[in-house]
Amino acid sequence: MSYLRFQNVSKHFRQNEVLKDLDFSIHKNEFVSIIGPSGSGKSTIFNLIGGILSPDEGEILLDGQCINGKRGFISYMPQTSSLFPWRTILENVLLGQELQGKKDVKAAREMLEIAGLSDYENAYPHMLSGGMKQRAAFIRALLSPQEVICLDEPFSALDELTRFEMQKWLVDMWESHRRTILFITHNIEEALYLSDRVMMLSAKKAKVVSTIEVPFERPRHESILLDERFIQCKRDVYYQLVGEVK
């Protein structure tokens, strides 16, 4: 049974129709990546789920409830960590809970320890590396009470080695603390390594043109990136994506 559902959702900005009859479903605790050409409406989808925008047509359903234009139902992690510079790392990761009126400091400290950040709980964001900030931002998302987490290219600003370390860490954390995740990326390898499914959007007036069930069991080891089946799957997605760009 679907947990998050886009039901014939359309959205336009003046004369520019970004989404047209977009229809898809996400299951509870599923990890789904969204890829597509630049300008295909990926971030608009997140803004609609988060209630920042309302659809012009159609419905967005979360656990059977229409959430069109309603806020507070998702936890969101943007491309940058967006940590408040005047708050310590512990205070930053507790922010989502704080906004809901309760804080679980013990759970926050346990997750900071798992993330290798226990020595930095009283430090400020400027004292951390890019990867450490992103780990703190994801912990903040996990600690927030919402069941759906939207990640908008969270590793795009990191160097290649740090990015891969973050991917492995994200998979481990998600395996331990299952939540429903929607993940935007332009990186095909990243999408296949992390996800249960990959949804590919068309260009303008975005629709889901293809959904790929990632055929690799979990937990996934980094050696899978060199597996011929993985490489072939990457080729298939690449050629579909190139076809959409053209």
Side-chain angles (χ1 to χ4, degrees), residues 41-57:
K42 298 183 292 294
S43 294
T44 299
I45 290 172
F46 277 13
N47 288 333
L48 288 165
I49 298 171
I52 297 172
L53 299 173
S54 295
D56 298 318
E57 297 175 10

Side-chain angles (χ1 to χ4, degrees), residues 213-224:
E213 300 279 349
V214 180
F216 310 111
E217 294 182 358
R218 296 184 185 276
R220 293 175 188 159
H221 190 268
E222 59 195 83
S223 61
I224 198 171

